[in-house]
Amino acid sequence: MGGDIAAGAAVAIVLIPSVLAYSELLGVAPILGLYSALGAMAGYALFASSRKCIVGPDTTVALLAASAIAPLAAGDPVRAAALAAALAVMSGALLLVASRFDLGAAADLLSKPVLVGYANGAALILVASQLGSVIGVPIPRDAFFHKLVDAVAALPHAHLPTLTLGLALVSVLLLMRAFAPRAPAALVGVVVGVVAAQLFGLPEKGLVMLRPLPPGLPSPAVPDVALADVRALVPGAIAMAFLVFAESIVLARTLAARRGEALDANAELTALGMANAASGALGGYSVGASGSRSITADAAGGRTQLTQWVALALLVAFMLWLAPLIGRLPRVALAAILIVAGIGMLDFAASRALARLDRRSLWLSLAVSGGVLALGVLPGVLLGIALSVARVMIDTARPGDALLRRRPNDKHFHDLDDEEAGESPPGVVVYRLYAPLIFANARHVADRLRSLLERADPPTRCVVMDMQAVTHIDVTAAEVLVALHDELQAAGIDVRFARANRPLRAQLTRWLEDHEIARERFFPSAHAAVDDYLQQEARRENGPG
């Protein structure tokens, strides 16, 4: 229990300044970040299976929320707050529906390359979004590349006290990240910003300060949005539900694996849904699992969700008695916190790993990053999902296969390298498909097998289809298989099946009960099918007895 209490205090110290900063991303009042954390932690801790995850406003989630509501809010902070709350409630509802129907696997559409690409693109957008606050000059255009151009053009007109303090804070936070990664860097940035502003009289020199926050706790309310707004937010809510669950489940599994703990993905869906719904009901915005806070809690000795309850209690105390002190904080301090958070999100190590393991995954990641930068956060995420699905469909439509051969003095058939010695009996082709046989690939597989048989020397008299890697077959593929079977039989080629799993055999028998395939013998192995064929040929050549 002592470890959980200490960890909860550490989480609260990290949480409060960071959630104030995330409100800046959405263009809403800073106190809404506190409201979001309040509802999120209570909603999640009641239902979570993870013992370690800490939830609340987070960088990637806030950026996606900002991209969804910005076109509708048109710069109005009151309207932005209502839209952000509605988005949180809608994404929370989607997560709860997904948990009801066990749809957690849908979040796997956000694959590792997509998440890496999104994080890198979002990190650059986050840094660019804060350049105006650091320079001290408004940058009106929102697009990433426009912001870079406008920031360079605004540098000669920068407000020097703001720019000096901002660069100093960014430097301090980066040094702490490099040499004291476990220290509460955000809190240090806030303290340094407050002290520097008062010590050098920077508010009197034009430094922009935050408005004091009103003390007290929020009351639940229905977000004040029109039905047209709800319809407009649907794509953002769907993308948000995908992102929140995908990022959160990866973090939860990582933390659980460290100590061999179990994790219920469906319970996580419920908990994240309740966290977002509670945040929205309190006037907050979308939330997800926070990597920085969760790792802080784990490093400080947190072992259960008591950590989150302690952090929640300290947050409530801050909101009741200390909230007005925020009026002493320079806005540029929050910008510095966000810039360093963005730099920390850039995952070059993951990109290098993708380049080493799978070049196609690297290109997918880069495409998502480019989509996020050029099109915006929400279109970039949707592009990533579309590219992931397209890649799966392409891989399924053009699956791998192999001609199996025997090693010398080995009766079994193997998928051998081209350089490895091996052969198949004359006139026998053993073919293995490495994919389910479905509508998307059935005709390609049939054409592929025909081309292999045409090139066979001597001519093929027996084909054995090794079905070991064929997990299932659909109706379209079954029709193609029947046509291929009949075609080969008519050409005098003996067609056999090996290593078909029991559900697949039952499927073929049920669908094709009137066809010869249903009465074919399914052999337990390729070598059994080939040996049986060779024995039949020997009997045919030698005659009875």
Side-chain angles (χ1 to χ4, degrees), residues 161-503:
T162 301
L163 179 61
T164 303
L165 180 58
L167 293 178
L169 290 173
V170 169
S171 301
V172 168
L173 295 175
L174 288 175
L175 288 172
M176 291 191 65
R177 184 179 185 84
F179 299 106
R182 294 191 176 184
L187 179 63
V188 172
V190 166
V191 171
V192 171
V194 170
V195 171
Q198 301 305 317
L199 185 63
F200 298 105
L202 298 182
E204 291 76 20
K205 298 177 182 178
L207 184 70
V208 177
M209 310 295 287
L210 294 180
R211 294 179 180 177
L213 300 182
L217 301 177
S219 300
V222 177
D224 184 17
V225 293
L227 182 59
D229 294 328
V230 174
R231 286 196 296 265
L233 288 172
V234 167
I238 294 172
M240 182 66 73
F242 271 118
L243 178 66
V244 165
F245 183 62
E247 285 200 326
S248 300
I249 200 68
V250 167
L251 177 61
R253 285 172 177 165
T254 302
L255 294 172
R258 289 181 179 179
R259 300 187 182 276
E261 297 167 350
L263 190 74
D264 183 343
N266 202 49
E268 289 302 299
L269 270 174
T270 301
L272 291 166
M274 292 301 298
N276 276 276
S279 172
L282 294 181
Y285 43 84
S286 300
V287 296
S290 168
S292 60
R293 278 164 250 149
S294 299
I295 293 171
T296 296
D298 188 53
R303 296 294 176 264
T304 71
Q305 282 297 327
L306 178 60
T307 297
Q308 194 142 232
W309 289 113
V310 171
L312 178 61
L314 293 174
L315 175 61
V316 168
F318 176 84
M319 294 172 67
L320 289 175
W321 297 297
L322 301 177
L325 295 179
I326 294 299
R328 297 177 177 271
L329 179 62
R331 176 169 289 178
V332 71
L334 299 185
I337 292 171
L338 289 174
I339 287 174
V340 174
I343 293 172
M345 283 171 60
L346 290 169
D347 199 344
F348 297 117
S351 296
R352 287 194 298 269
L354 292 177
R356 186 177 71 254
L357 299 173
D358 183 4
R359 283 281 178 177
R360 290 193 305 167
S361 294
L362 174 64
W363 288 116
L364 174 59
S365 174
L366 293 176
V368 174
S369 295
V372 168
L373 295 176
L375 305 175
V377 175
L378 179 55
V381 171
L382 297 178
L383 173 66
I385 294 174
L387 289 175
S388 293
V389 173
R391 178 177 173 181
V392 171
M393 293 304 298
I394 291 171
D395 289 344
T396 303
R398 297 296 180 266
D401 58 8
L403 289 180
L404 308 187
R405 295 176 294 153
R406 281 173 166 162
R407 293 190 180 97
N409 303 318
D410 183 357
K411 67 178 181 178
H412 297 284
F413 285 83
H414 305 277
D415 183 358
L416 303 178
D417 293 334
D418 293 339
E419 298 79 15
E420 194 169 356
E423 62 181 8
S424 186
V428 175
V429 169
V430 182
Y431 176 79
R432 176 183 291 168
L433 174 68
Y434 289 110
L437 194 59
I438 60 173
F439 70 95
N441 62 26
R443 289 178 178 81
H444 168 77
V445 171
D447 291 340
R448 167 78 172 149
L449 187 54
R450 289 188 188 100
S451 68
L452 291 172
L453 298 183
E454 289 174 359
R455 297 197 303 268
D457 186 24
T460 304
R461 301 193 306 274
C462 175
V463 172
V464 178
M465 297 189 67
D466 187 312
M467 312 290 278
Q468 175 187 9
V470 180
T471 54
H472 67 276
I473 187 172
D474 67 8
V475 175
T476 303
E479 292 178 352
V480 174
L481 185 63
V482 167
L484 179 65
H485 176 276
D486 293 347
E487 176 187 329
L488 296 179
Q489 290 281 50
I493 299 175
D494 190 339
V495 181
R496 296 168 175 242
F497 299 94
R499 304 189 74 175
N501 59 61
R502 183 179 59 78

